Amino acid sequence: LNMSSSVMNISEHLSCPLGFGHYNAVDICILETVVIVLLTFLIIAGNLTVIFVFHCAPLLHHYTTSYFIQTMAYADLFVGVSCLVPTLSLLHYSTGVHESLTCQVFGYIISVLKSVSMACLACISVDRYLAITKPLSYNQLVTPCRLRICIILIWIYSCLIFLPSFFGWGKPGYHGDIFEWCATSWLTNAYFTGFIVCLLYAPAAFVICFTYFHIFKICRQHTKEINDRRARFPSHEVDAAGETGHSPDRRYAMVLFRITSVFYVLWLPYIMYFLLESSRVLENPALSFLTTWLAISNSFCNCVIYSLSNSV
């Protein structure tokens, strides 16, 4: 009886985007609670594992991209910690005090953290592009000091770009829609959405597509040249050149490309719905919930890709 009354409290006082009628609202709220609690646990456990591996494996710090991968791991870990807010709100009855401020802060923090992940993916692609196109001057161009400055700028930029949402100009995302105030009173704005797309989503996607296209193009050319040399001069020197050529860089780029591809596959439905809803073309609470938490699940998927793509 106590559990039943708690579930009824959840359904009555919290926004249940997937609910279709009072009878189904309780079942839907239980489903939402299970999804959010499970994702919260997986995100926190997975990224703690990644951070622990980097802490216990000093050799990984020799890779310049480790700075960005660790930054992404910390950002995703904070995403999981932030998800404790809706988790605790679903598991325990919330009094609704300062609900508007709570969901605004929650939506802002999640948006900033995912912006950091997106910017880090773009920086990783630029780093790999420089490593392959300028191998001789790479160490002079990419230094630990410059990497740290770049990471600081990423955090500052991510914090600033979503700041207008606190002054009534639009809504950064649907991450807070588990709260009723966020779902019903905090509306999106087409201009603010366009602002975010033009200054964050589109530039990051363009940089990633440009760099990886040229990375694989260059690697393909080098592989073809090495094969031609082997065919003409089958010697140990050519074999050694082939082994120490661009194949390790290409494999490494493939791992990072998978991470980037999964990121955009999971985030594309969210971005598309965000644009459509902001333009008042489509408004569907079920799609809002599903696309939002599908995008947030990416914070755990990175950990799986690391382990499946590279045993080291």
Side-chain angles (χ1 to χ4, degrees), residues 37-64:
V37 170
L38 180 62
L39 281 179
T40 302
F41 171 77
L42 290 176
I43 291 170
I44 293 176
N47 287 285
L48 280 176
T49 303
V50 173
I51 293 170
F52 177 76
V53 168
F54 271 98
H55 177 73
C56 296
L59 290 177
L60 291 175
H61 295 280
H62 292 291
Y63 295 98
T64 54

Side-chain angles (χ1 to χ4, degrees), residues 25 29 47 70 81 125 132 162 188 213 225 245 250 294 311-312:
C29 279
N47 287 285
Q70 289 182 82
V81 173
S125 68
I132 290 179
F162 289 101
T188 56
F213 173 79
E225 291 175 3
R250 189 177 188 279
L294 181 67
S311 59
V312 177

Side-chain angles (χ1 to χ4, degrees), residues 202-267:
F206 174 78
V207 168
I208 288 170
C209 292
F210 175 84
T211 53
Y212 278 113
F213 173 79
H214 285 85
I215 285 172
F216 291 122
K217 181 180 178 181
I218 293 170
C219 288
R220 193 179 301 111
Q221 290 175 350
H222 281 278
T223 302
K224 183 179 179 181
E225 291 175 3
I226 291 171
N227 291 334
D228 291 341
R229 290 176 184 176
R230 282 177 175 172
R232 294 180 183 178
F233 310 102
S235 64
H236 295 289
E237 294 181 359
V238 177
D239 291 339
E243 291 176 0
T244 58
H246 285 266
S247 56
D249 286 330
R250 189 177 188 279
R251 286 196 297 269
Y252 193 38
M254 278 300 299
V255 174
L256 300 173
F257 180 72
R258 292 190 193 105
I259 294 171
T260 305
S261 299
V262 171
F263 182 93
Y264 278 96
V265 166
L266 295 177
W267 273 83

Side-chain angles (χ1 to χ4, degrees), residues 41-288:
F41 171 77
L42 290 176
I43 291 170
I44 293 176
N47 287 285
L48 280 176
T49 303
V50 173
I51 293 170
F52 177 76
V53 168
F54 271 98
H55 177 73
C56 296
L59 290 177
L60 291 175
H61 295 280
H62 292 291
Y63 295 98
T64 54
T65 49
S66 67
Y67 288 85
F68 296 113
I69 292 176
Q70 289 182 82
T71 301
M72 288 172 56
Y74 279 107
D76 290 336
L77 174 63
F78 292 144
V79 168
V81 173
S82 300
C83 287
L84 289 174
V85 175
T87 300
L88 295 176
S89 297
L90 284 170
L91 294 176
H92 303 283
Y93 171 71
S94 176
T95 58
V97 177
H98 302 302
E99 183 180 350
S100 61
L101 180 62
T102 301
C103 78
Q104 277 185 316
V105 172
F106 174 73
Y108 173 78
I109 290 175
I110 294 289
S111 298
V112 168
L113 293 173
K114 298 316 297 181
S115 173
V116 170
S117 295
M118 192 175 297
C120 283
L121 289 173
C123 289
I124 286 174
S125 68
V126 173
D127 176 82
R128 290 299 87 200
Y129 177 77
L130 292 175
I132 290 179
T133 57
K134 300 181 182 297
L136 299 180
S137 58
Y138 174 76
N139 291 330
Q140 287 73 36
L141 290 172
V142 183
T143 62
C145 180
R146 290 178 179 176
L147 288 172
R148 294 188 184 98
I149 293 174
C150 182
I151 290 171
I152 292 173
L153 291 177
I154 286 173
W155 280 98
I156 294 174
Y157 183 78
S158 300
C159 290
L160 291 177
I161 196 173
F162 289 101
L163 202 57
S165 63
F166 274 109
F167 300 98
W169 191 36
K171 182 178 181 180
Y174 300 97
H175 313 297
D177 278 5
I178 200 68
F179 302 102
E180 186 177 359
W181 187 89
C182 281
T184 59
S185 302
W186 197 13
L187 302 178
T188 56
N189 183 290
Y191 295 105
F192 181 72
T193 302
F195 171 78
I196 296 298
V197 170
C198 292
L199 294 185
L200 178 62
Y201 297 151
F206 174 78
V207 168
I208 288 170
C209 292
F210 175 84
T211 53
Y212 278 113
F213 173 79
H214 285 85
I215 285 172
F216 291 122
K217 181 180 178 181
I218 293 170
C219 288
R220 193 179 301 111
Q221 290 175 350
H222 281 278
T223 302
K224 183 179 179 181
E225 291 175 3
I226 291 171
N227 291 334
D228 291 341
R229 290 176 184 176
R230 282 177 175 172
R232 294 180 183 178
F233 310 102
S235 64
H236 295 289
E237 294 181 359
V238 177
D239 291 339
E243 291 176 0
T244 58
H246 285 266
S247 56
D249 286 330
R250 189 177 188 279
R251 286 196 297 269
Y252 193 38
M254 278 300 299
V255 174
L256 300 173
F257 180 72
R258 292 190 193 105
I259 294 171
T260 305
S261 299
V262 171
F263 182 93
Y264 278 96
V265 166
L266 295 177
W267 273 83
L268 190 58
Y270 169 82
I271 295 172
M272 294 301 296
Y273 180 79
F274 195 24
L275 289 169
L276 293 174
E277 204 278 338
S278 299
S279 304
R280 304 296 183 265
V281 175
L282 176 66
E283 186 172 354
N284 189 309
L287 283 178
S288 172

